[in-house]
Amino acid sequence: AQSVSQHNHHVILSEAASLELGCNYSYGGTVNLFWYVQYPGQHLQLLLKYFSGDPLVKGIKGFEAEFIKSKFSFNLRKPSVQWSDTAEYFCAVIHGSSNTGKLIFGQGTTLQVKP
Amino acid sequence: EAQVTQNPRYLITVTGKKLTVTCSQNMNHEYMSWYRQDPGLGLRQIYYSMNVEVTDKGDVPEGYKVSRKEKRNFPLILESPSPNQTSLYFCASSLDAGGNSPLHFGNGTRLTVT
């Protein structure tokens, strides 16, 4: 069965520190990959997505992610975090030619940025 | 403004009392889905709908029903809620089910069943 694993459940950083959140998925076929962010008390919002092409994708708010097919990974990065980045981050995967639209989500990573 | 609207935002109920959580989208999306979010488990799909009158079970459908009589609406029905359905629920929609368009989420409904 398809699954998504996020290695870090809770990350605490100081402002200006660099961020990398790990995401690995288990599926051998073509996949589309997403990172969503959920700010406290809010709904999930799309940070960035990868469908094809350049494996380094840039999203909103200075986030980027790199798709490494050989490692089944899609890690999220940001060079310098801000207090406002405090949120929960979800990696999600869908089969590239899905006919069910089912996104498989990771367990989520809670990021706490200290001012 | 393009959005997915869920109501209510918060709901406290008792075991066995039927309830409905409404979901409406104004983007003419074909695909709609319900997820529940629980700590440490991420989001799990309850039901989804590919189009009007087409619904199917997700990973955790037990205890839930849905309907899709109109394209814009996709209500979630709990006929006899139980405490293990206490959770945060999200409705989502996308242009299609093909995986090439991202999901748009509603603001969530926090349900407590006592």
Side-chain angles (χ1 to χ4, degrees):
Chain A
Q2 296 178 50
S3 66
V4 177
S5 177
Q6 292 182 236
H7 315 300
N8 319 96
H9 296 296
H10 199 139
V11 173
I12 302 173
L13 294 172
S14 298
E15 274 194 314
S18 64
L19 170 72
E20 180 158 4
L21 301 182
C23 172
N24 284 89
Y25 62 94
S26 65
Y27 183 72
T30 303
V31 292
N32 294 337
L33 299 145
F34 305 83
W35 274 97
Y36 283 87
V37 60
Q38 185 179 29
Y39 297 105
Q42 296 188 26
H43 63 286
L44 279 80
Q45 303 170 43
L46 182 68
L47 259 185
L48 49 79
K49 61 185 186 290
Y50 173 80
F51 292 163
S52 63
D54 188 343
L56 184 62
V57 292
K58 294 191 184 302
I60 60 171
K61 305 187 180 187
F63 285 91
E64 64 179 31
E66 185 175 13
F67 171 51
I68 303 179
K69 191 175 182 179
S70 61
K71 294 185 178 180
F72 299 90
S73 71
F74 190 55
N75 293 352
L76 180 71
R77 300 196 291 250
K78 185 171 184 178
S80 175
V81 295
Q82 301 172 305
W83 176 79
S84 58
D85 292 324
T86 294
E88 191 159 16
Y89 293 81
F90 292 94
C91 180
V93 172
I94 188 170
H95 186 297
S97 55
S98 170
N99 59 3
T100 67
K102 187 168 88 171
L103 268 181
I104 309 294
F105 283 88
Q107 310 93 314
T109 297
T110 300
L111 171 65
Q112 184 181 352
V113 179
K114 293 186 171 180
Chain B
E1 182 191 348
Q3 59 185 1
V4 178
T5 304
Q6 286 178 237
N7 279 297
R9 289 292 305 274
Y10 302 92
L11 180 57
I12 302 173
T13 190
V14 296
T15 299
K17 186 175 180 183
K18 180 180 178 179
L19 65 90
T20 299
V21 184
T22 64
C23 173
S24 180
Q25 50 93 4
N26 62 0
M27 296 169 279
N28 202 35
H29 284 170
E30 290 191 351
Y31 182 85
M32 297 186 75
S33 181
W34 277 102
Y35 286 85
R36 60 177 288 174
Q37 182 182 8
D38 301 289
L41 296 177
L43 281 84
R44 295 176 292 167
Q45 192 183 51
I46 303 170
Y47 267 94
Y48 65 94
S49 170
M50 308 279 272
N51 214 323
V52 176
E53 302 292 1
V54 182
T55 63
D56 210 341
K57 296 177 181 179
D59 293 321
V60 288
E62 294 78 21
Y64 305 95
K65 284 174 55 177
V66 293
S67 70
R68 188 94 182 270
K69 294 185 171 58
E70 307 160 285
K71 199 170 189 178
R72 62 184 293 123
N73 294 325
F74 190 46
L76 180 70
I77 303 151
L78 284 71
E79 294 270 3
S80 182
S82 62
N84 65 10
Q85 292 178 298
T86 292
S87 187
L88 179 58
Y89 291 87
F90 287 101
C91 180
S93 73
S94 65
L95 206 54
D96 56 47
N100 290 318
S101 56
L103 280 174
H104 297 259
F105 285 85
N107 283 329
T109 297
R110 186 167 291 281
L111 172 65
T112 302
V113 184
T114 60

